[in-house]
Amino acid sequence: MQFSKKLKDWVQECADLCKPDKVYWCNGSQQEYDMLMSEMLNDGTMMKLNEKTYPNCYLHYSNPNDVARVEHLTFICTKDASDSGPTNNWKSPEEMKDIMKPIFDGAMKGRTMYVIPYIMGPADSPASKVGVEITDSPYVVANMRIMTRMGQQALDKMKSEYDFVAGLHSVADCNPERRYIAHFPEEYLIWSVGSGYGGNALLGKKCFALRIASWLAKEQGWMAEHMLILGLETPDGETTYITAALPSACGKTNLAMMVSALENEGYKVTTVGDDIAWMYIGEDGRLYAINPEAGFFGVAPGTNPKTNPNAIASLKENSIFTNVARTADNEPWWEGMTKETPSPLWDWKGQPYNGEGKAAHPNSRFTAPASQCPVISPQWQAPKGVPISAILFGGRRANTIPLVYESFNWQHGVFVGATMSSETTAAATGAVGVVRRDPFAMLPFCGYNMGDYFGHWVDMGKKLGDKAPKIFHINWFRTDDKGKFLWPGFGDNARVLKWVYERLNGKAGANETAIGYVPTADAIDTKGLDIKKEDLEKVLEVNNEEWKKEIPAQKEFFDKFGDKLPKEMTDELKSFEGRL
Ligand code: SAT
Ligand code: MN
């Protein structure tokens, strides 16, 4: 292997600090993966699942204190606090490093330090970027091999000495008191210590592909977004590409690979990505998206052959399961996988399950290669990416927000994104089910001042002009007075995609309301759908009195940004109030 001087120096620096017994450079081969797995089987970090029904699949239990992202311990460490902004935790780079250095010091004694060169994005895409993660967790190496393109191909892609994002990770003693996820965007550097879980530890994912990448994207005029990318095949034989931003654990994976209820009518969904989109303006002036990842790190609970058959097919082999339950046949299990809870069963802590609490952790995950998805798009690794026609924003809201609406124009769409709200989920530690502002589903993932981020969105719209994608908002989670979902969701969401597609082509009916264009009840294709007329009306309803109650929270949120809030957002808020 060939290494640049910067890379060699940095690895040496990390080794001097963490003092591992040995340093191992990962090449990404199957042999290497098998070797790591057999080591983890030996030391009990991994369990082998049923080789007949789940070939080459493994189960890992994380430390019970370490099962989700930790937003309160996640920092954006810019020289100037105002560059990190009011929605991020901030410490100066010096102070943060002074706190973390003693934790890293000697943390890898008795362990191996793995060096993982990896690419985010298709190897031959000009939009892709290289990262290097250093970790003492073989579990992280195994997951990174599924989630990224790793090994020699990444070293080959490092064009110049400085062309990679560096990430140092150690599980250390996995102590929540000594756990920090720190980003130094000015140095293209990530430090993560004290957690071995998902977004805290797989540094290519949220740390690089969203937090550092959003910073780079602002500097360089592109976009790094918390969005799935799907292709909607339509009866005319064309494919329309759509991205959608939804907070963690709100159904991005399900939407990205849904089995359309309208397949007989010729509407079919293919998957480009299920979590992150990197978007740039192409030579023709349109917005193009690539999926920087190579795998899915999906929420397990609720996934079953009905809700998401394509996810089930994706995870049947070569996959890693984290914090799910295990059956007597050594198969993974989670709440919602089957109607009956199997017995006997071992819970996500490895204990016999006695029916109390959840057998699988609510944020338990599967890591599966994207290439195994039966509906993976033929374009998913296209170097150029796919041209985006529509952007959907969405959240989990029991009230107020209708099933779908279209913004009046790009700038209004940016306001819709900036005022997004959603009920919190188990993907992060903290209370679940609390409504909070989560603009663009990026609240935990924006690597700089979100006021500047809103401004960047406004600017991108100006550059795109009339080639800009149309912006919509979706909400599958509206309920009736008794708390029952009004909309069936899952494959029936294709009915909403059809409306979006028809709006793009000027065909579908809509009412102009204070929030935007909302479908008329007969504009949603309900053929074959058993939904009461009043439920459909209710799920599409715009109640101005309810919306007026949103205004104070929107204002309060905007006020945090002071003069960093673009004037366009203040203008939009005023117009919105006026329309209400
Ligand atoms: O843990 S991850 O950040 O990778 C998943 C998520 O919360 O979206
Ligand atoms: Mn996510």
Side-chain angles (χ1 to χ4, degrees), residues 273-338:
D274 81 326
D275 195 40
I276 299 175
W278 284 358
M279 303 192 286
Y280 68 97
I281 301 177
E283 272 166 26
D284 59 0
R286 294 188 66 187
L287 192 64
Y288 284 77
I290 65 160
N291 171 10
E293 300 190 283
F296 309 127
F297 186 65
V299 178
T303 308
N304 67 48
K306 266 221 170 99
T307 56
N308 194 339
N310 290 319
I312 294 289
S314 306
L315 56 74
K316 276 283 169 163
E317 52 186 337
N318 310 314
S319 296
I320 299 171
F321 297 84
T322 304
N323 295 338
V324 301
R326 182 173 56 93
T327 69
D329 292 331
N330 233 0
E331 293 181 342
W333 189 86
W334 46 78
E335 275 70 19
M337 184 195 247
T338 52

Side-chain angles (χ1 to χ4, degrees), residues 379-416:
Q379 295 300 313
W380 86 280
Q381 307 206 71
K384 216 170 119 179
V386 294
I388 302 304
S389 301
I391 294 173
L392 318 183
F393 296 132
R396 180 185 286 272
R397 284 291 304 267
N399 54 39
T400 315
I401 305 183
L403 180 64
V404 59
Y405 63 98
E406 181 189 344
S407 65
F408 295 119
N409 51 49
W410 179 274
Q411 183 176 302
H412 175 239
V414 175
F415 170 76
V416 169

Side-chain angles (χ1 to χ4, degrees), residues 67-69 71 197-200 202 205-206 211 226 247-249 252 275 293 297 299 363 365 425-428 445:
V67 293
R69 280 182 295 101
E71 295 179 4
Y197 189 80
N200 302 329
L202 311 177
K205 198 173 178 50
K206 307 295 167 139
R211 299 196 190 97
H226 192 202
S248 301
K252 279 195 298 301
D275 195 40
E293 300 190 283
F297 186 65
V299 178
N363 192 37
R365 300 270 171 165
T425 68
F445 306 121

